Amino acid sequence: KERKHRCGLYDRCRRELLIREERVQADQFSERRRALEQRNQFMIAEIARLDQEIELQQTRVRNAERMFSKYRILNTSGYVSEFHLAQYENEYADQLARYQVLARSKLVTTRDLAQSEHESRQIIGQRELSEAQAARTLAALGQEAIEHRARSRFQIVAPVTGVATAITGQPGQSVAASASLATIIPQEAGIEAHLLASSKAIGFVET
């Protein structure tokens, strides 16, 4: 009984430890996914802001290009000096460079968002896989406990109906397969006794 109690306690400890580990993993997955979701929302807002900046900057680039083209024609006709033309050319180049910086920032942020969303989907898959593995492990532990209980209980049937005497085993004791556990006296068997008595005492024996 003590051994059986120890085995049952060990099985419960294993199940509780597995459940506790699964809860810890679930909390970790949830925390990682929460952090990624917050990051995704930030990047979505950043992309929206960059779109507005890019649209405004495209307008600035078109205006600067138009002015540069206009003064280049005037410079060709001799109405504008090279110095003034260089100012408009530099302005156009500056606005174009700013647009390119914004476009690269949007490209990088969009790529990071796609990677972060992929990680979020991976976390969901990992979480589902972890739950499935934990469920299989718990089921295996339950089956193992059932099999253990089945192995720890044996019914020993006597070959005949009678009275068990000379019982040698104790509850919870391990015995060899060939060991004798008890002696069975058949229910219908008579009792044969061998008495040693003097001839004078024979007349006093009753059956």
Side-chain angles (χ1 to χ4, degrees):
K1 290 182 179 180
E2 182 180 354
R3 181 173 179 272
K4 180 179 177 181
H5 174 71
R6 288 199 304 268
C7 291
L9 182 60
Y10 175 69
D11 290 338
R12 285 196 299 272
C13 289
R14 290 176 64 188
R15 290 177 61 86
E16 290 175 0
L17 179 60
L18 180 63
I19 293 173
R20 194 178 305 118
E21 290 177 350
E22 172 62 18
R23 288 175 179 172
V24 171
Q25 287 185 350
D27 292 340
Q28 291 175 347
F29 281 132
S30 298
E31 184 62 28
R32 286 176 56 193
R33 187 180 179 189
R34 210 165 22 244
L36 285 173
E37 289 296 331
Q38 291 177 353
R39 182 186 178 192
N40 293 350
Q41 293 300 321
F42 172 79
M43 287 189 290
I44 290 173
E46 179 66 11
I47 290 174
R49 186 190 67 81
L50 287 172
D51 283 337
Q52 294 178 352
E53 289 288 336
I54 288 173
E55 183 178 0
L56 179 61
Q57 190 61 30
Q58 285 175 332
T59 301
R60 292 170 179 167
V61 170
R62 286 194 297 269
N63 292 336
E65 183 181 16
R66 186 168 54 252
M67 293 299 294
F68 173 59
S69 298
K70 175 182 177 180
Y71 277 86
R72 184 168 52 186
I73 296 173
L74 293 174
N75 174 261
T76 303
S77 302
Y79 293 105
V80 175
S81 65
E82 291 290 339
F83 175 77
H84 286 89
L85 178 63
Q87 289 180 333
Y88 288 102
E89 183 179 7
N90 291 336
E91 175 65 16
Y92 169 64
D94 180 64
Q95 296 298 336
L96 183 61
R98 293 184 182 183
Y99 166 76
Q100 291 172 345
V101 170
L102 290 171
R104 283 195 298 269
S105 296
K106 179 184 177 181
L107 179 63
V108 172
T109 306
T110 303
R111 182 184 59 195
D112 292 342
L113 176 61
Q115 182 178 357
S116 182
E117 290 176 341
H118 176 68
E119 291 178 7
S120 297
R121 291 190 295 270
Q122 281 186 325
I123 288 177
I124 296 175
Q126 291 172 357
R127 175 73 182 117
E128 293 175 350
L129 178 61
S130 176
E131 290 178 347
Q133 290 176 342
R136 286 195 298 268
T137 303
L138 285 173
L141 287 177
Q143 183 63 29
E144 182 180 337
I146 293 173
E147 292 176 357
H148 175 76
R149 286 194 297 268
R151 288 194 301 268
S152 63
R153 296 178 180 178
F154 295 95
Q155 183 178 10
I156 301 175
V157 181
V160 295
T161 302
V163 179
T165 62
I167 299 175
T168 59
Q170 299 294 329
Q173 178 184 353
S174 298
V175 296
S178 60
S180 176
L181 301 179
T183 300
I184 304 297
I185 299 177
Q187 187 174 5
E188 302 299 332
I191 298 177
E192 181 180 344
H194 296 272
L195 301 177
L196 298 178
S198 63
S199 58
K200 295 179 179 180
I202 292 299
F204 299 98
V205 176
E206 296 181 0
T207 59

